[in-house]
Amino acid sequence: MGRWEPNARGRLSEAALELYVERGYEQTTVAEIAMRAGLTERTFFRHFADKREVLFSGSDALREHLVNAVAGAPDSAAPIDAVAAAFESVGVLFQEGRERSLRRQAVITANAELRERELIKLASLSAALADTLRLRGVPHPAASLAAEAGVAVFKVAFERWADDPGEPDLSQLIRESFDELKAVTAGR
Amino acid sequence: MGRWEPNARGRLSEAALELYVERGYEQTTVAEIAMRAGLTERTFFRHFADKREVLFSGSDALREHLVNAVAGAPDSAAPIDAVAAAFESVGVLFQEGRERSLRRQAVITANAELRERELIKLASLSAALADTLRLRGVPHPAASLAAEAGVAVFKVAFERWADDPGEPDLSQLIRESFDELKAVTAGR
């Protein structure tokens, strides 16, 4: 007890998701998660602040990835293209864990508090991307609009991907949804 | 007591907003709101479920107005134009109560729970507009993207309006922000 457990974080995350799907998020305790993972509660709290955090720790990584991608886009890239390229590169990350992403989404959809949390994470993602665009010299309100458009496309593409197991990979859906948004805003 | 009070709803709403600004939302009780309005708590609860509801009862009216406007747009209108026209017509409603809108926004911004609630209301607005577009025959995902774009433009335009007292009327900012979104998504 108290020693470093290899892969403890991954095992805890997997155990939590299993229990949230089986018993529901609200009914699951940290003690049960730790037991299912074969670890102690102390180990759980070394990795996660609480049982909700297990579902959202990936959101911070996602935001960081997107912010870095937008910040590192070529100077010549139009704001919307910098945002689109960033989201397309994120699709690959999700693809690797499609099964996990879909189970996580089902747990969140079933719980009002978790849905709220997801909306907050998306709003903070949009704000972070707008800030990053402004640092690139994109004026207001174009920076906010490009960031909001990116998050809107991501939401829509993710839903399409989650709702239909026959859908192609998420990156492709994100690319298609950006093209669709361009057509929609052009009044087609 | 218990009899119908003319304008009770408006007086309660005004009293609540005053108190939220003066003392903070969390510190204000329903009893204090009723007292400030010169009414009873019983009257308060005939009009509002709780003190949070005072801030969000307008959101349902807003959604209904937008849904009706999109549903009633000419058949020939492109989805984005139906959505844009609906939001522009809403700007007029806010203009009439600019002072109240800005105070309400300040109260919401200062409280995490209220910010969450606002995000939920906007998400449900987007979903309702997407449903309305689908009833008009707009396919998926264009319906969702046009709805999300509309809400994004509204958020950005509202912030511009709220942040700068010198800004023109909200309808004009909404129209400008739609044009800006078109330019942004076109890669300009």
Side-chain angles (χ1 to χ4, degrees), chain A residues 78-81 116-117 119-120 123 140-142 144-146 148-149 152-153 155-156 160 177 180-182 184-185 187-188, chain B residues 78-81 116 119-120 123 140-142 144-146 148-149 152-153 155-156 160 177 180-182 184-185 187-188:
Chain A
I80 194 72
D81 295 328
E116 292 182 16
R117 190 75 202 159
L119 288 174
I120 291 161
H140 190 66
S144 297
L145 287 166
E148 288 280 347
V153 161
K155 276 167 69 177
V156 168
R160 288 173 72 185
S177 298
E180 188 85 27
L181 177 70
K182 289 179 186 196
V184 163
T185 52
R188 288 197 291 275
Chain B
I80 194 73
D81 295 328
E116 293 182 17
L119 289 173
I120 290 162
H140 189 67
S144 298
L145 287 166
E148 289 279 347
V153 161
K155 277 167 67 177
V156 167
R160 287 172 73 185
S177 297
E180 188 85 28
L181 177 69
K182 289 179 186 196
V184 163
T185 53
R188 288 198 290 277

Side-chain angles (χ1 to χ4, degrees), chain B residues 75-154:
Chain B
D75 286 347
S76 61
I80 194 73
D81 295 328
V83 169
F87 275 103
E88 281 176 40
S89 74
V90 150
V92 177
L93 301 180
F94 282 89
Q95 204 63 35
E96 288 171 358
R98 178 186 168 113
E99 184 59 29
R100 188 183 187 284
S101 293
L102 298 188
R103 277 190 298 158
R104 173 183 175 277
Q105 207 57 35
V107 171
I108 288 172
T109 302
N111 181 289
E113 183 208 327
L114 298 176
R115 287 198 303 273
E116 293 182 17
R117 189 77 201 156
E118 181 86 326
L119 289 173
I120 290 162
K121 289 285 183 180
L122 288 172
S124 106
L125 173 58
S126 177
L129 291 176
D131 285 345
T132 308
L133 288 170
R134 274 189 285 271
L135 286 174
R136 285 171 60 88
V138 179
H140 189 67
S144 298
L145 287 166
E148 289 279 347
V151 171
V153 161
F154 178 67

Side-chain angles (χ1 to χ4, degrees), chain A residues 38-155:
Chain A
L39 296 164
T40 62
E41 284 189 68
R42 223 168 118 172
T43 302
F44 179 95
F45 288 116
R46 255 206 315 277
H47 291 279
F48 301 104
D50 53 37
K51 69 176 183 171
R52 191 178 71 175
E53 179 67 13
V54 182
L55 293 166
F56 292 101
S57 63
S59 301
D60 297 332
L62 172 65
R63 184 171 61 185
E64 199 182 342
H65 178 100
L66 286 165
V67 163
N68 288 339
V70 169
D75 286 346
S76 60
I80 194 72
D81 295 328
V83 170
F87 275 103
E88 282 176 39
S89 74
V90 151
V92 177
L93 300 181
F94 281 89
Q95 206 61 35
E96 289 171 358
R98 179 185 168 114
E99 184 60 29
R100 188 181 189 285
S101 293
L102 298 187
R103 279 190 297 160
R104 173 184 176 278
Q105 207 57 34
V107 171
I108 288 172
T109 302
N111 181 289
E113 183 208 327
L114 298 176
R115 287 199 303 274
E116 292 182 16
R117 190 75 202 159
E118 182 86 327
L119 288 174
I120 291 161
K121 289 285 184 180
L122 287 171
S124 106
L125 173 58
S126 177
L129 290 176
D131 286 344
T132 308
L133 287 170
R134 274 189 285 271
L135 286 175
R136 285 171 61 87
V138 179
H140 190 66
S144 297
L145 287 166
E148 288 280 347
V151 171
V153 161
F154 178 67
K155 276 167 69 177

Side-chain angles (χ1 to χ4, degrees), chain B:
Chain B
M1 217 164 97
R3 75 182 197 284
W4 180 256
E5 294 278 356
N7 293 324
R9 192 180 173 86
R11 279 159 62 194
L12 287 162
S13 176
E14 186 58 32
L17 208 47
E18 279 175 20
L19 287 164
Y20 297 164
V21 170
E22 286 169 27
R23 304 186 191 173
Y25 169 77
E26 281 172 44
Q27 286 71 45
T28 301
T29 66
V30 167
E32 289 168 335
I33 295 168
M35 184 179 295
R36 171 74 62 107
L39 296 164
T40 64
E41 283 188 67
R42 223 167 118 173
T43 302
F44 179 94
F45 288 116
R46 255 207 316 280
H47 291 278
F48 301 104
D50 53 38
K51 68 176 184 173
R52 192 179 69 175
E53 180 66 14
V54 182
L55 293 166
F56 292 101
S57 63
S59 301
D60 298 333
L62 173 65
R63 185 172 60 184
E64 198 182 340
H65 177 100
L66 286 166
V67 163
N68 288 339
V70 169
D75 286 347
S76 61
I80 194 73
D81 295 328
V83 169
F87 275 103
E88 281 176 40
S89 74
V90 150
V92 177
L93 301 180
F94 282 89
Q95 204 63 35
E96 288 171 358
R98 178 186 168 113
E99 184 59 29
R100 188 183 187 284
S101 293
L102 298 188
R103 277 190 298 158
R104 173 183 175 277
Q105 207 57 35
V107 171
I108 288 172
T109 302
N111 181 289
E113 183 208 327
L114 298 176
R115 287 198 303 273
E116 293 182 17
R117 189 77 201 156
E118 181 86 326
L119 289 173
I120 290 162
K121 289 285 183 180
L122 288 172
S124 106
L125 173 58
S126 177
L129 291 176
D131 285 345
T132 308
L133 288 170
R134 274 189 285 271
L135 286 174
R136 285 171 60 88
V138 179
H140 189 67
S144 298
L145 287 166
E148 289 279 347
V151 171
V153 161
F154 178 67
K155 277 167 67 177
V156 167
F158 191 91
E159 272 168 30
R160 287 172 73 185
W161 183 63
D163 287 349
D164 184 353
E167 279 290 0
D169 74 296
L170 182 56
S171 289
Q172 186 182 329
L173 281 172
I174 289 173
R175 193 159 44 244
E176 283 175 16
S177 297
F178 266 106
D179 288 342
E180 188 85 28
L181 177 69
K182 289 179 186 196
V184 163
T185 53
R188 288 198 290 277

